[in-house]
Amino acid sequence: MTVISLTRICLAFSASLCCAGSLSAEHHHTDTNKIMTEKLNVTQEWDKVFPKSDKVTHRKVSFRNRYGITLAADLYMPRNVNGKLPAIAVSGPFGAVKEQSAGLYAQTMAERGFLMIAFDPSYTGESGGFPRYVASPDINTEDFCAAVDYLSTRDDVDSERIGIIGICGWGGMAVNAAAIDTRIKAAVTSTMYDMSRVNANGYFDAMDANARYELRKQLNAQRTADAKNGSYALAGGVPDPLPADAPGFVKDYYDYYKTPRGYHRRSLNSNGGWNVTSALSFINMPLLAYSSEIRSAVLMIHGEKAHSRYFSEDAFRKLKGDNKELMIIPGASHVDLYDNQAGVIPFDKIEQFFLEHLK
């Protein structure tokens, strides 16, 4: 018996078990597997941290992921276009909302002819999901795939020309999504964090197994405390006031998230942060395990001076194929790629990359 035959038998057997378990349920509950959409409370006024462009149209949309969570998104479309467009979904940074960096990327790329959506991940911003402020390597990867679901069903989108952009921690989610979702024809990461690696190993891989054990003890003690309290403790966003001895990259975060430059009232980093126990999900679940199997195009962008540069460089080494690129921006920090205040986000390169690979 061949491996393929054995695999098919196993899949068929698994499917038969699922069907057997569902037949009797379907007799009484025929609507249990229908797609239901949660009603979201979204603001309609422009509340982004960047100016509105007159070159695009903008409106709010929503879509549902495989776990039943309804996601809120901003749809940006170029004006005066006809026919089916290439489309791109964008999210990040980790702990930000779509009104911050993701929205800027989306609006800018829409000005260049792409249909764009910037979405809030599950449990954050205007998106649904409870409890609030939880991160998950599985569910947040699924959020990207759900965005592809949504774009694929639009009449004005060419479903064979869909890409994604992940910023900061959502860069790792984007790579993972590209590894699992063959509908994604091109992916761009900007100033990527590998959230599994940084949670399990600390910055610059400074943690060993003993330190990781102590972290697990602390996080699980917090689980017990949360269960007793009936609520989830927050880790806190960017430190405020900023300690005098804060590392340079933390000062950069403060300058973006805690000042008028990038502050937003729904942003976790600008306010109370993630649930403390969110880190547990990432420690034992490496996001980039199958990145070497990505066959679609990938462009990884990072700043030369970014503290996080090693995440992109190491992730890039695992990628295979001549359709993979690493672009290091001279002199740029991690946060320089958030809002283009320094004028270093390579939008021309991003546009050229998607035009080449979404065709």
Side-chain angles (χ1 to χ4, degrees), residues 78-98:
R79 292 186 182 274
N80 304 316
V81 294
N82 297 302
K84 292 181 178 292
L85 299 175
I88 303 167
V90 55
S91 194
F94 194 79
V97 287
K98 63 187 182 302

Side-chain angles (χ1 to χ4, degrees), residues 39-332:
K39 184 173 177 58
L40 303 178
N41 182 24
V42 298
T43 183
Q44 296 300 327
E45 66 268 16
W46 183 265
D47 63 347
K48 322 303 182 199
V49 301
F50 52 90
K52 188 175 185 179
S53 171
D54 60 4
K55 298 178 182 178
V56 305
T57 62
H58 162 266
R59 67 184 178 90
K60 293 288 180 75
V61 298
S62 63
F63 52 92
R64 178 183 178 273
N65 71 17
R66 250 183 346 112
Y67 295 102
I69 301 167
T70 301
L71 305 183
D74 287 300
L75 170 69
Y76 298 88
M77 290 188 61
R79 292 186 182 274
N80 304 316
V81 294
N82 297 302
K84 292 181 178 292
L85 299 175
I88 303 167
V90 55
S91 194
F94 194 79
V97 287
K98 63 187 182 302
E99 289 76 17
Q100 295 173 308
S101 301
L104 174 67
Y105 275 70
Q107 180 173 263
T108 304
M109 294 303 292
E111 291 176 335
R112 294 163 180 256
F114 299 87
L115 186 148
M116 302 291 303
I117 57 170
F119 65 87
D120 284 328
S122 295
Y123 310 111
T124 68
E126 293 182 314
S127 287
F130 294 96
R132 303 301 292 167
Y133 317 132
V134 179
S136 161
D138 181 19
I139 295 174
N140 295 142
T141 296
E142 161 61 19
D143 290 342
F144 264 120
C145 298
V148 176
D149 291 343
Y150 169 75
L151 292 172
S152 297
T153 60
R154 289 187 60 93
D155 292 337
D156 50 6
V157 167
D158 183 343
S159 62
E160 295 299 317
R161 301 169 69 198
I162 294 177
I164 58 175
I165 299 173
I167 307 166
C168 184
W170 256 257
M173 310 294 182
V175 172
N176 197 33
I180 197 171
D181 196 331
T182 56
R183 300 171 301 171
I184 296 170
K185 298 304 189 291
V188 170
T189 69
S190 181
T191 199
M192 187 198 88
Y193 259 51
D194 179 346
M195 295 308 300
S196 295
R197 182 175 177 180
V198 75
N199 277 289
N201 299 341
Y203 280 111
F204 314 112
D205 299 322
M207 291 171 59
D208 60 12
N210 290 329
R212 201 156 34 248
Y213 178 75
E214 291 303 316
L215 175 60
R216 290 189 181 106
K217 284 175 63 177
Q218 294 171 22
L219 293 175
N220 284 295
Q222 185 62 56
R223 285 193 66 147
T224 301
D226 289 346
K228 289 178 178 178
N229 295 332
S231 62
Y232 296 90
L234 297 179
V238 174
D240 189 10
L242 188 67
D245 61 349
F249 69 90
V250 176
K251 293 177 180 178
D252 288 345
Y253 285 143
Y254 184 95
D255 189 49
Y256 180 76
Y257 286 109
K258 289 292 190 175
T259 71
R261 173 184 171 189
Y263 176 85
H264 196 277
R265 60 189 175 88
R266 288 190 295 273
S267 169
L268 282 69
N269 291 340
S270 293
N271 298 283
W274 295 95
N275 288 357
V276 173
T277 55
S278 280
L280 276 169
S281 299
F282 291 90
I283 292 174
N284 288 11
M285 297 184 183
L287 270 170
L288 308 183
Y290 292 96
S291 60
S292 63
E293 298 184 6
I294 299 173
R295 299 188 182 185
S296 56
V298 178
L299 168 64
M300 309 191 82
I301 303 166
H302 227 107
E304 177 193 16
K305 303 297 185 182
H307 68 285
S308 51
R309 174 177 164 180
Y310 68 102
F311 290 128
S312 285
E313 291 179 328
D314 289 353
F316 179 74
R317 291 187 186 100
K318 290 183 63 178
L319 301 179
K320 296 178 180 179
D322 57 7
N323 58 352
K324 312 298 191 292
E325 300 181 54
L326 173 64
M327 184 179 191
I328 302 298
I329 308 300

